[in-house]
Amino acid sequence: MAIEKRDPVTGRVTTGHEWNGIEELETPIPRVVFFFLAVTTLFAVVYWVLMPAWPVGVTYTRGLLGIDQREVVMRQVEDAAVLRAAWTDRVGAAGFEEIMADATLMQHVRDTGRTLFIDNCAACHGTRGTGGPGFPNLAAGAWLWGGDPETLAETIRVGINSTSDETRVSQMLAFGRDGVLGREEVRSVAAYVRSLSDLPLGEADRGRIEAGKEIFAANCVACHGEDAKGSTDAGAPDLTDAAWIYGSDAQTVFTSIYSGRQGHMPHWEGRLSPVDIKLLALYVGTLGEDAR
Amino acid sequence: MISRLTVSERHLALFVLGALALAGLAMAVGGRGDPLAVHGVIVLAASLGLGFLVLSALFSPEPGESRLAEYYDDPTKAGIVLSLAWAVVGMFFGVWVAALLAWPELTFVDSAWASFGRIRPVHTSGVIFGFGGNALIATSFHVLQRTCRARLPDQFSPWFVLIGYNLFCVIAASGYLMGMTQSKEYAEPEWYADIWLVIVWVVYFLIYIRTLARRKEPHIYVANWYYMAFILVVAVLHIVNNLALPVSFGHAKSYSLFSGVQDAMTQWWYGHNAVAFFLTAGFLGMMYYYLPKRAERPIFSYRLSIISFWGITFMYMWAGAHHLHYTALPQWVQTLGMTFSVVLLVPSWASAGNALATLNGAWHKVRDDATLRFMMVAAVFYGLSTFEGSFMAIRAVNSLSHYTDWTVGHVHAGALGWVAMITFGSLYALVPWMWKQERMYSPKLIEVHFWLALAGTVVYVFAMWNSGIIQGLMWRTYNDSGTLAYSFIDSLVAMHPYYIARAFGGLLFLTGAVVCSYNVWMTIRMARVARVPAKGDVPLYGAAQAGE
């Protein structure tokens, strides 16, 4: 522990202490450190003077610029709303026909509808509205309740089997489980239903079609209609087309009839504004455009 | 190891373990039907198991006075092993959660414990508290004794701290898997675990004070200032942020004493200072010892050490509010958080610069010695991430970066690049000293580990920078209709490739940790064969001289 010890590499003096072999040099603090300390401190002080900064009793220094983040954001939201109102007001006031005839408005509908749809609906219906097992394809043009914009807006507003008082209600009965039809009868009517959309049937199923047709006439027409083309009053799907909510394979169709089905679509009134619902109804209407 | 405790220390250990067993029993009985009971059983089993160990050596002869002529390093050795075990576990969970974000179906088992929300804190606590905390405890005991030239004051309390701390970590991690959490980030463990940690921490602090009081050096070395700041401030933070009222003494659940924006502010005052005093101060302590030791160079500037120490300690305390920019937190608090964060850059860079300048005259060693290179890269990443941190604390920048992966990238630049690298470097230096070997089992594997760790960190950080900035921009882009141009799902789709890259980077880092553990394990095995005692590595002040 010599008092004046020099480091051979730098030629600097050490502080004279040593801890288990570690020494420290008496290097003065580099100027640049003080420089940056001064610059950052100056920045801080200027910022304090201009912006809300220090607490003083029950209040605080408001800063010379008089900026308040809450006011700023409120103003920004208002400004944005005013800008948007240029077209949203027209969407709110105009009828569906009128909007659909207006190409610029429809462009806004597509732009805005896409984000609204993906943020709120895609979890169930998919980002392009093409659905999945249990969730209908909204781009297929095969509607349960109807595909005109007024009806779509109503469906979105009240939902299907939702918790809204006004909800649309629909149910596919559990014919097999509730004992209305026996297993063999369910198999027959399933074969008949699948024959309606020309699905490939096995030998045994082909022999069941006739019996199934009779069972269908006796049990199913009330909801699905004489021609099995569905009913928008009951929210019952068209069974003759290529669109299936739950699936078209023999097992799934059997399950639909044997155990019944009841899809749940949430209601959006109160969660989305009337204009947003209108936008979504129009947007959902455009989903099939690419497909068609 | 138990026979190295004195007989009275063994009695004390039995007494403490008995009390702990009773506490475990009370928790198990009082918490029937609550997850608390599971923890009671864990505590009970741990204390009975340890009690059995102590009993088995209870009547071994009193250890000789010769022990006092050596530093007491058994707890440090155990801490090193525990630290690496936690590193592998914690990083494995990290890679798993990273993979979950890229491929959400990778839960393997379809049960609640494997869900993202539960295994994520296992990762964060595993690496920060398990890996980092054990490394800090282990190295602090080592550094403390060497820089004071005094033996630890007794042999029981270091074990109490080390084992007690790991018991806390186990309770924390197992609690998360059962769904127990206070929902405060990095302060998830419930009230009883928190109380236990306070007890452990007080003993830890006392060890420090008592050893310092016995020191044979006129001055207290810088590393010890940092370790002390770490211990002291973490205690304060931990106690304040965890003030809570349990539903009942038979329930694990508790409710915080704070609510609303006060709660948020307390939490981030805690959270940011955990970064400051756990992940920065503690590891700076490590750096200030192992880096000059390994480089065999004096510290570049004593004065710089002083101003950066006080700069960091003073400035960090204010910075927490930058985690709450543009929230319900009053703007003036945000201003203070932001401005102090900016000034904080100066002492941070002064520390990093002090470390790098210490390497002057030893750069050839940095080139040849992967151990020293670990420490050098750590100092560089410390500088990078503190710059990034101050930058992100600026409100305008934060409005882009907040809530995005940029934050995650920033944290990992610090956690992987700084904390883990300095730890690995220090452990590679320390392990041969502890097990009395000339060098690690395989210097080549250290080299391999270095490149794995560096590549992993770089891949990770770049992936998250890209991902975060893209995310931030997508969330704020409007189209001509005045609508957000992208939906949230759009931004997720854009993230996917980066999430895969991040999981890959993490995997590289984990592989490095496994290589390190293997290397350490083999070094320990080497030690069984031959010991090469280091010269002069003995205390001037043994325990007996203290009259304790």
Side-chain angles (χ1 to χ4, degrees), chain A residues 19-289:
Chain A
W19 294 267
N20 205 29
I22 302 179
E23 289 172 301
E24 295 168 315
L25 299 181
E26 267 293 11
T27 315
I29 296 168
R31 283 257 183 74
V32 56
V33 173
F34 289 114
F35 174 74
F36 279 111
L37 202 57
V39 171
T40 49
T41 309
L42 190 70
F43 167 78
V45 172
V46 171
Y47 198 90
W48 293 340
V49 173
L50 297 178
M51 302 292 265
W54 284 94
V56 192
V58 292
T59 175
Y60 57 90
T61 59
R62 304 210 169 228
L64 294 181
L65 293 184
I67 290 178
D68 177 273
Q69 64 166 10
R70 203 165 304 234
E71 280 164 21
V72 172
V73 77
M74 300 239 272
R75 208 167 42 241
Q76 283 171 345
V77 170
E78 268 166 34
D79 291 351
V82 169
L83 278 178
R84 258 170 80 97
W87 63 271
T88 49
D89 283 357
R90 278 165 60 212
V91 170
F96 284 110
E97 293 286 312
E98 200 183 318
I99 302 172
M100 289 194 312
D102 185 331
T104 20
L105 268 190
M106 278 310 280
Q107 194 50 48
H108 288 304
V109 167
R110 274 174 236 269
D111 286 351
T112 304
R114 179 179 172 279
T115 311
L116 266 180
F117 187 84
I118 299 185
D119 280 343
N120 295 290
C121 324
C124 296
H125 292 290
T127 48
R128 287 156 200 270
T130 46
F135 302 100
N137 180 346
L138 303 177
W143 303 106
L144 295 164
W145 298 91
D148 60 287
E150 285 85 359
T151 314
L152 285 174
E154 181 65 6
T155 306
I156 298 168
R157 185 176 77 83
V158 301
I160 303 168
N161 302 317
S162 74
T163 51
S164 159
D165 293 337
E166 297 172 71
T167 180
R168 295 193 188 280
V169 179
S170 68
Q171 187 170 16
M172 165 68 199
L173 307 174
F175 284 93
R177 206 182 54 214
D178 292 350
V180 181
L181 298 175
R183 250 174 203 284
E184 188 48 37
E185 287 172 306
V186 173
R187 220 163 267 146
S188 299
V189 75
Y192 170 69
V193 166
R194 294 185 70 239
S195 77
L196 293 173
S197 43
D198 297 329
L199 290 165
L201 297 181
E203 190 66 44
D205 270 355
R206 248 177 280 148
R208 293 188 173 109
I209 296 181
E210 273 312 305
K213 188 173 181 178
E214 275 169 36
I215 301 170
F216 192 87
N219 294 283
C220 321
V221 292
C223 298
H224 290 285
E226 299 279 352
D227 51 2
K229 285 203 172 297
S231 147
T232 50
D233 294 329
D238 183 342
L239 299 175
T240 66
D241 62 11
W244 294 86
I245 305 175
Y246 297 95
S248 64
D249 60 292
Q251 182 56 48
T252 309
V253 173
F254 178 89
T255 309
S256 291
I257 302 167
Y258 191 89
S259 312
R261 301 281 189 189
Q262 189 169 33
H264 293 274
M265 149 86 180
H267 61 98
W268 296 88
E269 183 173 41
R271 288 214 269 166
L272 294 176
S273 72
V275 170
D276 282 347
I277 289 179
K278 210 165 170 183
L279 279 168
L280 275 171
L282 285 159
Y283 178 74
V284 168
T286 69
L287 282 174
E289 279 173 2

Side-chain angles (χ1 to χ4, degrees), chain B residues 322-337:
Chain B
H322 70 221
H323 287 259
L324 297 164
H325 279 337
Y326 301 100
T327 63
L329 187 74
Q331 196 178 351
W332 62 264
V333 194
Q334 300 176 28
T335 297
L336 295 179

Side-chain angles (χ1 to χ4, degrees), chain B residues 381-413:
Chain B
F381 268 102
Y382 174 59
L384 283 180
S385 50
T386 46
F387 172 76
E388 190 184 26
S390 296
F391 183 60
M392 289 166 81
I394 297 171
R395 270 163 52 93
V397 181
N398 197 263
S399 73
L400 177 71
S401 74
H402 206 178
Y403 309 117
T404 72
D405 290 331
W406 187 353
T407 308
V408 182
H410 167 60
V411 169
H412 284 82

Side-chain angles (χ1 to χ4, degrees), chain B residues 189-204:
Chain B
E190 276 292 355
W191 59 276
Y192 49 95
D194 292 337
I195 293 175
W196 172 241
L197 185 62
V198 172
I199 299 172
V200 169
W201 219 247
V202 169
V203 175
Y204 188 19

